Amino acid sequence: MGRSRFLIPAVALVVMAASCSTSPGQSSDQSAATGLTSDIPVLGTEDDCVEGGDCSPAGDSVPSDRSPSTTEAPPPTSATAPLQDPADARRELFAGYPVGFTEEGYPYLGDPDATVSLIEFSDYQCPFCARHFQQTEPTLFERYGNGADVNFIYRDLPLVSLHAAAPAASAAALCVSEQGAALFWAMHHAIFDTQSQWAALPDPVPFLAGLAADIGADVDAYNLCMAAGRTRTIVDQSVAEAQQLGFSATPTFQLVNNETGEIYVLSGALPAETFITWLEAVVAGEGPPVEEQQAADQTDSSRLPFWATPEGLAPDPDRPGRTIAGDPFKGDPDAPLVVVEFGDFQCPACRAHALDTQPVLDTAFVDAGDVLWVFKNLPLSIHPQAPAAAAAAECAADQGSFWEMHHLLYETVDRWAVDPPDPQLIGLAEELGLDTGRFATCLGGRDSLEHVLDDLYDAQGIAESTPSFVIIYGGTGQLLRGSLPPDQFVAALDSVLEEARPAG
């Protein structure tokens, strides 16, 4: 397959801002329908890890023929339908806004008969969902909450592999919802307002019970609901439905035109102005402003993300072995060519690259000063221990041993790809002669995982599967995907170097 040059796209940020994600996201046929994805040319597809064959960037605007009444949700049951009369639910108020439950049992705020519904799939532990709650949602509620144009519907999508406490928070909010829509929204606000407190607890359930009491819920009824576990089932159903829709990042939003049945999708903690622009267009019966937004972003499309700029790639004097952007690197920082690898430590294709191809590339290019090699994490949700392994590599990097741990993780994947992986990962740190106490503290904390999350966000709109390689020079780049045999990878880099040396 031939090569072609691309500018690492900023245009994807139109509909895909910072978000929590367990996979790169949604299928390429949906992406083509809108023209909002990067459409990155690919060099090589020999072997790579994908999630269910669907690893395209999440978050593009996707017109759909699926009407709100036929969205892939189960019919109301005793477990999902509201426990109050719908007419009573419509008369409830929260902070001056009408609230209630949809026919399917999902909590809403605003006019139940609004022209457009903004359906949020969210995770109470996701920092970007909290950003939306804090910075964007108040503006939208104030503008639309008491009007007839837009209502707001909340759906649960806890990303368990990243946010272990999130399902408990979702279950707690739904248990409170059994006592009324107004109490649900009060609990919803309380959970997001205290995210930094309960998310760090080994067991958040007692804290969440305290929140239920604080907002005036019947604590005995709440505790009985939590003990029964029925809302956990509802959460699981919501996650399954979101996955059927191709959603794997939070927050993700559906804009549903309730008159035509058209559905559009936005992903990430986008500014209120972006939501307003799209909502106004859909309320007016128009499609979202795709062409206008694309044109506005053309001036931004030549800008590389910070981690791929000379400033971001410069060595960090305070953290040896890391770039200013925080990524581990090896090679000459002044090399004419930069390769940024997105990898998953539990991915067989990544393992093949690391053990068979990378040593050849190191000798031919990295050690020779021709290539600066940078690593970024892209753990896929089909590999349940991959996030822990990525965090372990980050913890080893804090002790100056990233590449040693990187290699050892790939060599020993059968040892640590177990549940739980932490004891085995600590054993690897001991083999490398690291300070195991410091390593274990790091592995059990949030800082290392937060860096992994940062890498996941950086991959959105660029890397679709693992391993993926972004080859950067002269302010542009190329994407090479998959684990190529050494001779093919060498030939590819030799060819690019011919262009990169004059450009450098």
Side-chain angles (χ1 to χ4, degrees):
M1 184 176 298
R3 290 184 292 108
S4 57
R5 187 176 292 112
F6 73 91
L7 300 178
I8 293 180
V11 67
L13 298 179
V14 175
V15 290
M16 186 172 60
S19 62
C20 296
S21 175
T22 58
S23 76
Q26 117 187 5
S27 61
S28 57
D29 59 326
Q30 291 175 322
S31 303
T34 66
L36 278 178
T37 52
S38 58
D39 192 24
I40 298 174
V42 174
L43 169 62
T45 55
E46 290 296 315
D47 189 12
D48 56 2
C49 288
V50 298
E51 289 194 270
D54 180 12
C55 288
S56 299
D60 297 320
S61 162
V62 185
S64 171
D65 58 3
R66 186 183 292 114
S67 68
S69 62
T70 58
T71 299
E72 298 168 15
T77 67
S78 58
T80 60
L83 299 183
Q84 63 195 111
D85 183 81
D88 292 337
R90 292 190 181 197
R91 288 195 289 268
E92 282 197 73
L93 294 176
F94 170 74
Y97 302 118
V99 294
F101 299 97
T102 68
E103 292 181 357
E104 298 84 4
Y106 309 133
Y108 71 77
L109 182 147
D111 184 347
D113 299 315
T115 304
V116 173
S117 292
L118 182 64
I119 305 175
E120 175 184 358
F121 289 81
S122 190
D123 174 321
Y124 282 114
Q125 198 175 347
C126 165
F128 297 99
C129 301
R131 179 190 296 177
H132 174 82
F133 166 79
Q134 294 164 353
Q135 299 180 7
T136 302
E137 190 173 89
T139 301
L140 300 181
F141 282 4
E142 182 177 1
R143 185 180 182 97
Y144 299 109
N146 281 311
D149 289 338
V150 179
N151 61 35
F152 303 86
I153 299 172
Y154 187 84
R155 298 290 306 276
D156 291 291
L157 181 53
L159 307 179
V160 182
S161 63
L162 299 179
H163 304 136
S170 293
L174 290 176
C175 276
V176 169
S177 78
E178 294 187 352
Q179 301 180 41
L183 280 173
F184 166 82
W185 286 102
M187 186 67 167
H188 172 88
H189 277 61
I191 290 172
F192 271 128
D193 280 336
T194 60
Q195 183 191 80
S196 62
Q197 300 176 51
W198 60 263
L201 298 174
D203 179 9
V205 172
F207 186 94
L208 295 169
L211 292 182
D214 291 344
I215 64 167
D218 182 325
V219 176
D220 290 337
Y222 168 85
N223 287 335
L224 286 173
C225 172
M226 290 292 285
R230 58 178 173 269
T231 57
R232 290 275 188 154
T233 302
I234 300 173
V235 174
D236 291 342
Q237 290 174 346
S238 184
V239 171
E241 292 158 18
Q243 291 174 342
Q244 288 176 358
L245 294 170
F247 300 159
S248 59
T250 56
T252 293
F253 304 87
Q254 288 182 316
L255 282 73
V256 182
N257 186 323
N258 294 317
E259 296 179 350
T260 67
E262 289 182 298
I263 301 176
Y264 305 92
V265 178
L266 299 176
S267 182
L270 296 158
E273 293 76 12
T274 300
F275 280 99
I276 291 169
T277 299
W278 283 58
L279 287 169
E280 292 296 323
V282 177
V283 167
E286 305 167 359
V290 174
E291 293 183 3
E292 294 86 345
Q293 189 67 64
Q294 282 184 300
D297 284 342
Q298 285 301 311
T299 56
D300 293 332
S301 64
S302 62
R303 295 189 305 194
L304 296 174
F306 178 70
W307 53 265
T309 64
E311 295 79 12
L313 290 166
D316 188 337
D318 297 325
R319 295 181 296 173
R322 288 188 186 269
T323 65
I324 289 292
D327 300 314
F329 75 88
K330 57 183 174 180
D332 185 351
D334 296 321
L337 197 65
V338 177
V339 177
V340 180
E341 174 186 356
F342 286 87
D344 172 324
F345 287 107
Q346 204 172 349
C347 164
C350 300
R351 183 176 187 271
H353 171 82
L355 300 183
D356 300 333
T357 301
Q358 190 64 49
V360 176
L361 302 180
D362 285 347
T363 299
F365 301 103
V366 178
D367 297 342
D370 288 328
V371 170
L372 175 69
W373 200 277
V374 180
F375 186 87
K376 296 182 78 67
N377 296 286
L378 183 53
L380 307 178
S381 63
I382 56 171
H383 300 141
Q385 287 80 38
E394 294 296 328
C395 291
D398 290 344
Q399 299 190 45
S401 298
F402 173 84
W403 294 105
E404 292 82 357
M405 178 62 80
H406 168 278
H407 193 77
L408 189 57
L409 285 168
Y410 281 123
E411 283 188 324
T412 61
V413 63
D414 291 338
R415 286 168 50 186
W416 57 260
V418 295
D419 187 20
D422 287 17
Q424 295 298 326
L425 296 171
I426 294 170
L428 296 184
E430 185 175 9
E431 289 182 29
L432 293 175
L434 304 182
D435 181 332
T436 54
R438 178 183 168 191
F439 180 89
T441 300
C442 174
L443 191 62
R446 286 288 301 176
D447 288 348
S448 59
L449 187 57
E450 289 297 336
H451 188 82
V452 177
L453 290 173
D454 287 341
D455 285 350
L456 279 167
Y457 311 147
D458 290 341
Q460 292 182 347
I462 295 174
E464 300 179 345
S465 56
T466 57
S468 288
F469 308 89
V470 178
I471 304 172
I472 302 166
Y473 68 93
T476 64
Q478 297 170 358
L479 182 70
L480 191 157
R481 191 178 74 193
S483 178
L484 297 176
D487 58 337
Q488 292 186 28
F489 214 133
V490 168
L493 290 184
D494 274 335
S495 177
V496 178
L497 270 171
E498 292 180 6
E499 302 176 32
R501 283 193 180 99

